[in-house]
Amino acid sequence: MFTGIIQGLGTLFEKRPAGGGMIFGIEADFDLTDPEEGESIAVNGACLTARNIKGNRFYVDVSPESIRRTGLGTLQSGSRVNLERALRLSDRLGGHLVSGHVDAQGQVRERRNAGDFTLFTFSIDAALTKYVVEKGSITINGVSLTVNSCERDQFSVSIIPHTLSVTTLGLLRQGDRVNLEVDIIGKYVEKLLSVDGASGTTESRINPGFLAENGFL
């Protein structure tokens, strides 16, 4: 589990195919204090397992599913990535609960300045917009951000100068693709409301009758 608060940047120094997936060698720009072989680390928002950790360098195995679901497969030697080590129970939850399981990719539709801030509009699969709410949280390339507005197939965020300077978001241009993870809490709420525990069916019980009975109509 992660928080979406980026600890530093990494540089891809090696990329090679392996067993249908890929192996990445990554060098972090910060010290990996008390590293644990096999620990989880988020790379552009994707939870991967770090191994062969030496100094601030480590390797990760990228599965075919991760390549299909994320933009990791398009990275090249020298590419910069956002890094976050796994959350400890004693850590501050500065962002929001992030699983590191990327839902889909989005694309930068617009980037414009608004004073000291930068406004981005991203495309998103219309099937995922039900989990994206105004002033809710979303993860973009591993960065926890607050949603400004959300429409049928796009949403916007406002990014402060600090975030642009310490993450790869500052490098984004119109047309670039990003990894998206929607708020996991919304998924669980939907599942709990749609499953009938007795029958195991997944037909939603929320209808006009239910809303009226519970005082919503």
Side-chain angles (χ1 to χ4, degrees):
M1 192 64 79
F2 305 91
T3 69
I5 303 300
I6 301 304
Q7 291 176 269
L9 298 182
T11 301
L12 196 68
F13 67 83
E14 184 177 346
K15 174 185 177 180
R16 53 187 167 89
M22 293 182 180
I23 293 176
F24 288 171
I26 299 174
E27 181 173 7
D29 67 1
F30 59 96
D31 291 333
L32 296 172
T33 57
D34 63 359
E36 295 184 15
E37 194 74 9
E39 71 170 273
S40 295
I41 189 164
V43 179
N44 273 0
C47 178
L48 300 174
T49 300
R51 60 178 178 81
N52 294 346
I53 305 171
K54 296 181 180 179
N56 60 348
R57 286 190 167 198
F58 61 94
Y59 287 84
V60 293
D61 297 289
V62 186
S63 71
E65 166 67 7
S66 293
I67 293 171
R68 183 186 69 81
R69 187 69 69 102
T70 75
L72 294 179
T74 65
L75 297 176
Q76 302 297 326
S77 181
S79 292
R80 303 279 277 169
V81 293
N82 296 322
L83 298 178
E84 181 189 355
R85 298 179 70 183
L87 173 70
R88 289 173 170 167
L89 291 178
S90 59
D91 289 343
R92 293 185 179 89
L93 187 59
H96 71 285
L97 291 175
V98 176
S99 69
H101 302 154
V102 174
D103 291 296
Q105 292 185 68
Q107 191 170 36
V108 180
R109 285 189 171 170
E110 183 183 22
R111 172 179 175 159
R112 61 186 176 90
N113 295 328
D116 292 334
F117 298 85
T118 302
L119 302 180
F120 281 94
T121 299
F122 295 93
S123 67
I124 185 173
D125 188 326
L128 292 174
T129 53
K130 60 184 175 181
Y131 306 114
V132 183
V133 298
E134 185 176 337
K135 303 310 175 189
S137 297
I138 193 166
T139 308
I140 302 174
N141 276 357
V143 183
S144 172
L145 295 168
T146 300
V147 176
N148 278 6
S149 63
C150 180
E151 301 174 28
R152 186 183 68 85
D153 63 350
Q154 67 179 31
F155 67 94
S156 65
V157 295
S158 178
I159 302 180
I160 64 174
H162 174 76
T163 302
L164 282 184
S165 67
V166 299
T167 73
T168 62
L169 298 185
L171 304 176
L172 293 177
R173 297 293 179 265
Q174 187 173 354
D176 287 346
R177 298 187 68 79
V178 294
N179 297 329
L180 301 176
E181 181 187 332
V182 299
D183 193 345
I184 192 172
I185 294 176
K187 293 181 182 180
Y188 281 119
V189 170
E190 178 188 47
K191 183 71 171 180
L192 289 170
L193 290 175
S194 64
V195 175
D196 186 325
S199 65
T201 61
T202 57
E203 182 179 351
S204 176
R205 292 174 294 161
I206 300 178
N207 52 42
F210 174 89
L211 294 175
E213 181 182 348
N214 290 274
F216 292 99
L217 294 178

